[in-house]
Amino acid sequence: MSEMRVIGIRVEQPQNQPVLLLREVAGDRYLPIWIGQAEATAIVLEQEGVTPIRPLTHDLIKILIKDLGHTLKEVRIVDLREGTFYADLVFENGLRISARPSDSVAIALRVGCPIHAEEPVLEEAGLVMPDEKEDEVEKFKEFLESVSPDDFKATDS
């Protein structure tokens, strides 16, 4: 299992599809996850420090977790099946709740907990991008030009 950090959200053209890009904290692999527009907006708003007038869904979940006396210990990206990623919200008492990775990351950013990816997920979908001195955004743009969501679908090999 590797700790991941959020690089950001990019939009793949021409489909106009948001992609969440995570990177290993202590490694060279990136993990791209195609996500929905609403979740992309929630992640970007949090990264940019924008506080909405009224709580958005992920803000509300953060408030509920705190006010119910719990702590979100970590988010784990636990599986990739047929092109779909799966994540768990892991609480201090060991409770695990299955959730979409996009929602999980949006919540993790709000509560300040770590994000981890299981090794089998990174082995299947993680990408190593050469030339670490290059700007991460430029590397990601180049990556997006060369892949599509179909590249991450399971095959019958």
Side-chain angles (χ1 to χ4, degrees):
M1 182 166 57
S2 292
E3 185 171 358
M4 308 297 285
R5 71 180 169 97
V6 178
I7 298 298
I9 301 290
R10 303 295 181 268
V11 178
E12 180 189 31
Q13 297 300 331
Q15 295 90 351
N16 210 26
Q17 178 73 38
V19 181
L20 167 64
L21 183 65
L22 305 174
R23 181 175 182 200
E24 281 183 300
V25 170
D28 298 329
R29 292 178 289 186
Y30 291 79
L31 187 62
I33 302 175
W34 277 258
I35 64 174
Q37 187 62 50
E39 295 79 15
T41 300
I43 291 168
V44 169
L45 288 175
E46 184 63 25
Q47 283 189 306
E48 293 179 354
V50 175
T51 304
I53 296 170
R54 304 268 305 155
L56 300 175
T57 303
H58 301 97
D59 302 307
L60 178 60
I61 292 170
K62 172 188 171 183
I63 293 166
L64 285 169
I65 291 169
K66 180 178 179 264
D67 287 357
L68 290 172
H70 293 283
T71 303
L72 183 59
K73 181 179 158 187
E74 68 178 318
V75 162
R76 288 188 186 174
I77 300 170
V78 296
D79 202 1
L80 174 59
R81 289 179 288 193
E82 298 177 16
T84 301
F85 290 88
Y86 294 81
D88 285 345
L89 301 173
V90 182
F91 291 87
E92 82 288 346
N93 60 2
L95 175 67
R96 292 174 76 136
I97 297 175
S98 181
R100 296 183 302 186
S102 55
D103 290 324
S104 300
V105 167
I107 295 166
L109 289 173
R110 283 163 172 75
V111 302
C113 74
I115 300 164
H116 292 97
E118 299 283 350
E119 190 58 33
V121 174
L122 286 170
E123 286 175 9
E124 185 173 344
L127 303 167
V128 177
M129 294 186 209
D131 192 9
E132 290 301 316
K133 295 178 184 176
E134 224 181 287
D135 180 60
E136 290 176 348
V137 173
E138 290 304 314
K139 288 191 290 186
F140 188 55
K141 285 179 182 175
E142 290 174 15
F143 160 73
L144 285 178
E145 292 172 4
S146 66
V147 298
S148 74
D150 293 335
D151 292 335
F152 297 98
K153 291 190 177 168
T155 60
D156 294 332
S157 321

